[in-house]
């Protein structure tokens, strides 16, 4: 019997194709990063007598560089418009401030200890009382992990990251958006990329796009909180700036919402500097759009806009020129520029961090305040070296702040859940980012593993107790270990806070009749029971907090009789992670830890 050679070849080719498809499916992998978690007691007792305070810290996931800070607690109302530091670099207003900051603490996974002798930054003992402690940690030892090869950070094409859905529920997988900037003086379709964090980094078919009809455009986009198919995009025609509202069309052309603003546009008052990037627009997640309009070249103004997100109309405008415009630095004999921004906005937990690639200035604002004086919470400028311009002894422009010809070029400003602010620090050598504390104190320049002096653009947090929490940035390794330097890359990060006090916690002195048991089961998925015993009848609350100290649920808020009680928590809509439950009854309170698995 003879065999047809062509048929044999066809079978071989078909088998090879099936094998290729099978192996491609088998070996493709979703993005599942090794998440960093810091576990520390939320309440620490200390005598403030100069003795050593050893704070146990459990590290899981990755190695970590931890910065430990001690802040005043509930004293912000006593602080009003304080300017201090070398060159007056630090301004604080109505917020608690840093009294101590540690050097780097390099820890491995497992049990570790942070030590503090109770002394402040000035070397003197901190007065006895109650303070807030913060810990900021990131992985400075492990190689970056590619989150996606389909979207690469670039200057002024800032990322927008959605962490919650339109009902305010945390997303199982966050969504990343990035607009492609540029353009001219005529309307044209500009592409916005969308990526679901957790997808296979290699699979280009998973990237979704939408094209919006705009003029010149830069910056991030914002979404209507109640309907995330609606988004807002900044655009600029010559010396006029607009924000346009669209409906997202997957892999299609966005539809302009002509019933918003004036024929689908909000038109900024005061003009705009042609050819200069802007910060885009952010949403406060409720009622407002937050924007900035600045005249970069002439230095006439810098204005913070709060816009009604549903109507596209003015709510208020705050003049921030005092902090961002400097006519003297624009003098040719000085060699700087008249204005430096802001060109970046980052909103989280009711406040917005402002920054710019062109200036030494960063600041934090309360957008709900009625005046600029009340709105500006902190400002960091030249004087502490973190983010400073022209600080070198060899510079010809000593301490000029507004100067886009020197580093660091801070192309992104991003804020985490505890209020730490970071920016990429290009032109500073082999460092990765600069770090500000929650009051604007310059902490340090930090470096990822294997950092180089190459250009750095992106630096964005995902931070909501998700399986993807971390810093998302550029890849700057240029050696044989990295074969694909483009894309967006992951670095593990976590920050936490708690209380240090000379007051003994009530759980240590409470009568035996008041008790709180460990939840069962623990770990759990997704239901667990919390049992407690009350000494007497009274008001009882049972609250759930995430590892960042944010309340995520209230199980009990009512009067209960003395005796034993049990409540159930269904965490089916909550992301996996470490959580704390606090039972309060009268003067008694106890907090315990639990772990949610998914």
């Amino acid at each position: 019997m003879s065999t047809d050679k062509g048929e044999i070849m066809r079978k071989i080719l078909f088998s090879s194709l099936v094998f290729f498809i099978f192996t491609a499916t088998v070996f493709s992998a979703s993005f599942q990063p090794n998440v960093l978690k810091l576990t520390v007691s939320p309440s620490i007792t200390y005598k403030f007598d100069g003795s050593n305070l050893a704070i146990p810290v459990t590290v899981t996931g990755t190695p970590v560089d931890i910065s430990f800070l001690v802040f005043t607690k509930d004293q912000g109302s006593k602080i009003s418009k304080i300017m201090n530091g070398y060159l007056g670099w630090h301004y604080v207003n109505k917020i608690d401030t840093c009294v101590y900051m540690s050097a780097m603490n390099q820890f491995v996974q497992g049990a570790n200890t942070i030590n503090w002798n109770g002394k402040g930054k000035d070397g003197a003992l901190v007065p006895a009382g109650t303070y807030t402690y913060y810990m900021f940690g990131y992985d400075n030892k492990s190689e970056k992990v590619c989150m996606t090869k389909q979207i690469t950070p670039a200057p002024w094409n800032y990322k927008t990251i959605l962490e919650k859905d339109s009902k305010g529920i945390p997303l199982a997988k966050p969504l990343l958006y990035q607009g492609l900037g540029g353009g001219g003086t005529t309307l044209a379709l500009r592409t916005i990329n969308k990526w679901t964090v957790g997808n296979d980094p290699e699979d280009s078919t998973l990237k979704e796009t939408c094209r919006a009809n705009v003029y010149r455009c830069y910056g991030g986009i914002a979404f209507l909180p109640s309907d995330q198919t609606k988004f807002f995009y900044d655009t600029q025609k010559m010396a006029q700036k607009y924000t346009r509202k669209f409906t997202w069309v997957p892999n299609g052309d966005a539809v302009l919402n002509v019933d918003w603003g004036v024929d689908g546009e909000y038109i900024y008052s005061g003009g705009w500097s042609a050819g200069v990037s802007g910060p885009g627009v952010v949403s406060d997640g409720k009622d407002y759009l937050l924007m900035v309009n600045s005249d970069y070249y002439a230095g006439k103004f810098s204005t913070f806009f709060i816009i009604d997100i549903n109507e596209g109309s003015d709510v208020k405008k705050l003049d921030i020129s005092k902090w961002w415009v400097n006519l003297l630095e624009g003098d040719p004999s000085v060699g700087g520029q008249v204005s430096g921004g802001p060109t970046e906005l980052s909103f989280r937990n009711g406040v917005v961090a402002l920054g710019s690639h062109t200036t030494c200035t960063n600041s934090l604002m309360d957008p709900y305040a009625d005046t600029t004086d009340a709105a500006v919470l902190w400002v960091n400028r030249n004087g502490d070296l973190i983010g400073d311009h022209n600080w070198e002894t060899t510079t010809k422009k000593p301490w000029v702040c507004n100067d886009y010809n020197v580093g660091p070029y801070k192309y992104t400003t991003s804020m985490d859940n505890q209020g730490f602010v970071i920016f990429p620090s290009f032109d500073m050598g082999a460092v990765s980012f600069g770090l500000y504390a929650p009051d604007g104190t310059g902490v340090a320049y930090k470096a990822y593993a294997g950092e180089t002096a190459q250009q750095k653009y992106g630096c964005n947090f995902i931070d909501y107790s998700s399986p993807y929490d971390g810093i998302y940035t550029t890849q700057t390794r240029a050696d044989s270990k990295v074969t694909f330097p483009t894309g967006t890359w992951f670095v593990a990060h976590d920050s936490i806070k708690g209380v240090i006090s000379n007051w003994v916690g009530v759980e240590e002195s409470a009568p035996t009749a008041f008790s709180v048991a460990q939840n069962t089961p623990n770990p759990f998925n997704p239901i667990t029971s919390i049992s407690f015993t009350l000494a007497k009848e009274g008001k009882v609350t049972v609250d759930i907090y995430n590892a960042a100290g944010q309340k995520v649920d209230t199980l009990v808020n009512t009067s209960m009789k003395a005796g034993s009680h049990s409540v159930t928590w269904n965490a089916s809509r909550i992301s996996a992670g470490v959580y704390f439950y606090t039972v309060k009854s009268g003067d008694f309170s106890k907090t315990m830890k639990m772990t949610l698995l998914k």
Side-chain angles (χ1 to χ4, degrees), residues 103-406:
M104 180 184 79
N105 294 273
Q106 187 65 58
F107 291 152
V108 297
Q109 293 190 61
N112 300 271
T113 302
I114 283 179
N115 296 289
W116 182 45
N117 61 7
K119 295 182 178 180
K121 291 186 289 186
D122 59 359
L125 283 175
V126 171
T130 301
Y131 296 83
T132 298
Y133 76 79
Y134 289 92
M135 294 187 190
F136 177 95
Y138 80 106
D139 180 4
N140 65 335
K141 296 297 184 181
S142 307
E143 292 285 342
K144 295 175 186 172
V145 179
C146 186
M147 185 275 286
T148 178
K149 292 182 179 179
Q150 315 311 320
I151 298 178
T152 301
W156 309 300
N157 299 334
Y158 307 130
K159 290 181 173 65
T160 298
I161 299 174
L162 286 182
E163 298 179 340
K164 296 180 180 180
D165 65 15
S166 57
K167 296 181 180 179
I169 298 172
L171 292 166
K173 293 183 177 182
L175 302 175
L176 182 151
Y177 296 81
Q178 183 179 39
L180 300 182
T185 59
T186 60
L187 286 172
L189 293 169
R190 316 292 179 194
T191 299
I192 304 169
N193 294 317
K194 175 184 177 182
W195 185 260
T196 300
V197 178
N199 281 349
D200 177 6
E202 305 278 351
D203 192 345
S204 62
T205 66
L206 298 177
K207 181 175 73 174
E208 185 178 305
T209 63
C210 182
R211 301 191 304 172
N213 204 26
V214 291
Y215 302 103
R216 187 181 184 92
C217 57
Y218 291 108
I221 62 176
F223 289 86
L224 186 67
S226 60
D227 180 1
Q228 292 176 349
T229 66
K230 313 296 183 185
F231 70 95
F232 305 86
Y233 203 1
D234 267 11
T235 182
Q236 164 193 348
K237 181 181 181 182
M238 298 301 289
Q240 183 61 57
K241 183 182 178 187
Y242 311 84
T243 292
R244 310 191 99 199
K245 181 183 179 183
F246 296 94
T247 298
W248 183 276
V249 177
N251 299 314
D253 296 342
V255 177
L256 183 67
N257 291 194
V258 295
D259 58 345
W260 183 81
V262 178
D263 297 327
E265 295 179 334
Y266 174 82
I267 304 173
Y268 286 71
S269 59
W272 183 250
S273 290
V276 178
S277 64
V281 56
V282 299
S283 165
D284 75 338
K286 297 184 296 183
D287 304 312
Y288 301 140
L289 289 175
L290 310 176
M291 319 171 188
V292 171
N293 195 17
S294 301
D295 181 359
Y296 286 82
Y297 290 152
K300 296 177 181 177
F301 62 85
S302 189
T303 308
F304 188 86
F305 284 69
I306 298 91
I307 308 302
D308 186 301
I309 198 169
N310 296 299
E311 302 294 334
S313 57
D314 286 323
V315 174
K316 59 188 168 185
K317 303 173 187 178
L318 302 175
D319 184 359
I320 57 174
S321 303
K322 172 183 176 180
W323 301 108
W324 295 93
V325 176
N326 190 323
L327 297 178
L328 293 177
E329 291 188 337
D331 189 288
S333 64
V334 177
Q337 290 82 46
V338 293
S339 180
T343 57
E344 298 101 37
L345 303 177
S346 177
F347 180 87
R348 193 182 285 270
N349 296 334
V351 291
V352 57
L354 288 72
S356 173
H357 68 290
T358 67
T359 177
C360 73
T361 304
N362 281 79
S363 66
L364 186 76
M365 292 187 64
D366 173 6
Y368 306 105
D370 292 329
T371 65
T372 301
D373 283 350
V376 178
L377 303 179
W378 64 253
V379 181
N380 183 303
R381 305 173 91 174
N382 268 343
D384 68 335
L385 298 185
I386 308 303
D388 286 5
H389 280 175
N390 293 299
W391 55 272
E392 303 95 332
T393 57
T394 56
T395 184
K396 296 180 180 179
K397 298 175 282 187
W399 298 108
V400 170
C401 177
N402 290 338
D403 185 359
Y404 51 65
N405 295 305
V406 300

